[in-house]
Amino acid sequence: MTLVYLVAGEASGDMLGARLIAALRRARPDLAFAGVGGERMAEQGFQSLFPMRELALMGFLEVLPNIRRLARRLDETAADIAARRPALVVTIDSPGFTLRVAARARAQGFRVLHYVAPQVWAWRPGRVKKIARQVDRILALLPFEAPFFEKAGIPVRFVGHSILESGADQGDAARFRAAHGIGPEERVVLVMPGSRRSEVGRLLPVFGAALRLAAERVPGLRPVVPLAGPVEEAVRAVAAHWHPAPILLHGVGEKYDAFAAARESGGAGLIKSGTSSLEVALAGVPMVVGYRVNPLSAAIARRLIQVRHVSIVNLLADAAIIPEYLQERCTPKLLAAELVRLLTDREAAAAQRAGFARVLTMLRPPEGLSSEAAAAAVLEMIEGHPSAARQS
C-alpha cells in the first residue's frame, strides 16, 4: 500500500490531519497512514508513534525545559520515516517541531508537503529562505500567504480553511438548553482557554475572574468550557472554584450546540487567540480575545512581530473586528468590561457578526471543500512522483 506519513503537533493540526485522512480515503482507499497525531486522527484509525500532547508547547521559555524530550521525539520520528519509507511526508502546522521533521525527512530524500503556512510573514520574514530548504510545497490556509512564499521559490497552493467544514455553525441551541437545564433568560458565555497546559495555566484564572466581574453587572450568565483531553484535569481544577459555576463539555457535537446556544441567547465568548476564534466566528458568536505567554517570551516576540493584530479574523480584515487583550492588558477588569459591552450593546455584537461574515468568505477555497483541495494536492505529489525518494 502507498504510505502517507503525517506529523501534527497540536489540536488544530490534529483536526486538519483527521479531515485530510478522511478526504484522502474517499479518493484513494488504498492509502495507508502513519506518523504522529492526536484524538481526531485516531478516530480515523490513525496510530500515533507517541502521544501528540507531548508537542503542545507554546512560547520560548515553555519549550526550553523540554528540549531534550523534544529532541528525542524528533529523532524517533526521523528514524520511523526512514524505516517506513513513505511516498510523502505531510507536516501539519506546529512549525517548531514539524519543520525540523521536514528538514530531516528531506535530507533523507523524501518529498515533504507542509500543511498550514508558517506565520513567518508576521514575525520572522527572513526565515522563509530556510523553509525553502525544508519543504517541497506548502498548503496555505490564508489567501495572502501564497505570494509571500512564492517569492522565495516555494510552490504554494491556497486550499482554504477547513474550519468552514467543521460544523461549528450547525449546533442545536434547544438541545443544549434542555440537556443542561438552561432557562430562557440565561445567557451562555463560551470560555475557551486553549489546548496547551501553559495556555490553561495562564488564561483560565484570568477568564474566570473576568466572568465573575461580568456576572455582577449582567445577571443570568452561564459559562461553558469545552474540555480538551490533554488539559481536562487542569481545567476542572481551576473551574471548580468559579462563580457562576461553569458547564464543562465533552465532544465536538456538544461544543457546537453550546455555540448555537450562545448565539441565540445573546451570549458572547472569552476566547484565546488561535483557531478557536475562527470556530466561534463561524458560529456567529461575538467575542473578546485574550492571550498571555511568559513575560520574557512576550518581550522577545514583540521585537519580532510585524503585524498589528494576532487573531486571524482581524488579520484578514486588517481591522480590529475582535477586541484583543494581550499580555499586561489581558486582565479580568479589561476583559470583563469588553464582555459586558458585547452582552449589553446589540450594535457592537452585530458589528462583529457582520465582520465575521466578510472575513469567512475570504477563507473559502476556489472550489469544493478545503480538505478535498488539500487531499488533491497530496495526491498530485504522490502520483506525480511515484518513488519515495525526492527527485533531484
Side-chain angles (χ1 to χ4, degrees):
M1 296 179 73
T2 302
L3 177 66
V4 180
Y5 200 98
L6 301 100
V7 183
E10 58 183 307
S12 57
D14 181 37
M15 185 61 76
L16 286 171
R19 292 180 186 137
L20 177 60
I21 290 171
L24 285 168
R25 283 210 173 109
R26 289 193 297 270
R28 283 275 304 270
D30 63 305
L31 292 179
F33 303 93
V36 180
E39 293 178 3
R40 302 285 80 81
M41 291 167 72
E43 290 170 359
Q44 297 293 325
F46 185 91
Q47 292 187 337
S48 184
L49 181 63
F50 54 81
M52 187 193 73
R53 62 177 177 271
E54 294 185 17
L55 306 178
L57 301 168
M58 184 70 179
F60 302 100
L61 295 190
E62 287 80 358
V63 170
L64 282 175
N66 298 281
I67 285 291
R68 288 187 178 180
R69 175 167 53 80
L70 292 172
R72 185 170 65 252
R73 292 307 195 190
L74 175 60
D75 289 341
E76 285 182 53
T77 308
D80 196 47
I81 291 170
R84 291 178 178 272
R85 298 200 61 77
L88 182 68
V89 176
V90 180
T91 51
I92 308 173
D93 208 359
S94 304
F97 182 81
T98 62
L99 287 183
R100 286 177 170 81
V101 172
R104 296 276 287 271
R106 207 162 186 249
Q108 295 171 10
F110 298 100
R111 293 179 60 80
V112 177
L113 174 70
H114 188 70
Y115 191 5
V116 183
Q119 294 184 347
V120 291
W121 43 263
W123 61 290
R124 290 181 68 184
R127 195 168 173 233
V128 69
K129 295 178 181 178
K130 182 177 181 181
I131 294 172
R133 299 191 296 271
Q134 295 171 317
V135 305
D136 292 283
R137 175 179 282 190
I138 288 175
L139 300 185
L141 276 56
L142 306 178
F144 60 80
E145 293 175 318
F148 174 83
F149 288 95
E150 287 170 346
K151 287 180 181 177
I154 306 173
V156 181
R157 177 176 296 182
F158 168 61
V159 296
H161 207 297
S162 75
I163 202 71
L164 298 178
E165 58 191 272
S166 67
D169 56 341
Q170 300 297 315
D172 188 323
R175 179 169 59 198
F176 186 79
R177 284 183 169 276
H180 296 281
I182 298 174
E185 301 302 318
E186 293 182 293
R187 305 169 77 177
V188 173
V189 176
L190 305 174
V191 183
M192 300 178 69
S195 59
R196 302 181 180 102
R197 288 184 176 85
S198 59
E199 289 173 333
V200 168
R202 293 185 188 281
L203 293 177
L204 200 56
V206 178
F207 285 1
L211 275 171
R212 186 177 66 251
L213 292 174
E216 293 173 358
R217 298 175 58 187
V218 182
L221 299 187
R222 292 296 300 273
V224 173
V225 187
L227 295 172
V231 296
E232 179 173 340
E233 291 184 11
V235 170
R236 288 187 181 278
V238 175
H241 307 289
W242 281 10
H243 181 76
I247 299 169
L248 305 180
L249 303 182
H250 283 95
V252 173
E254 195 173 29
K255 178 174 74 169
Y256 292 165
D257 286 352
F259 286 6
R263 180 182 63 246
E264 295 185 16
S265 69
L270 276 173
I271 313 296
K272 74 107 179 177
S273 175
T275 304
S276 52
S277 65
L278 268 184
E279 278 189 306
V280 176
L282 180 60
V285 180
M287 74 190 94
V288 53
V289 160
Y291 206 70
R292 283 183 174 183
V293 295
N294 180 283
L296 183 55
S297 297
I300 295 170
R302 279 178 173 144
R303 294 175 64 89
L304 298 172
I305 290 176
Q306 301 185 22
V307 292
R308 294 190 297 162
H309 309 289
V310 298
S311 70
I312 297 174
V313 170
N314 290 350
L315 280 168
L316 287 167
D318 194 24
I321 293 174
I322 302 171
E324 299 175 349
Y325 290 88
L326 313 176
Q327 288 308 110
E328 64 276 358
R329 297 187 72 241
C330 183
T331 67
K333 185 176 180 180
L334 290 175
L335 292 173
E338 193 62 49
L339 185 61
V340 168
R341 186 175 76 90
L342 292 173
L343 291 167
T344 58
D345 185 337
R346 290 186 178 182
E347 290 186 2
Q352 275 205 20
R353 287 192 290 269
F356 298 161
R358 292 193 301 272
V359 164
L360 290 168
T361 61
M362 302 168 66
L363 295 176
R364 301 189 186 283
E367 57 182 305
L369 299 176
S370 174
S371 60
E372 292 172 346
V378 168
L379 292 177
E380 278 182 17
M381 292 191 72
I382 293 173
E383 294 166 358
H385 303 273
S387 169
R390 175 167 54 91
Q391 307 297 310
S392 58

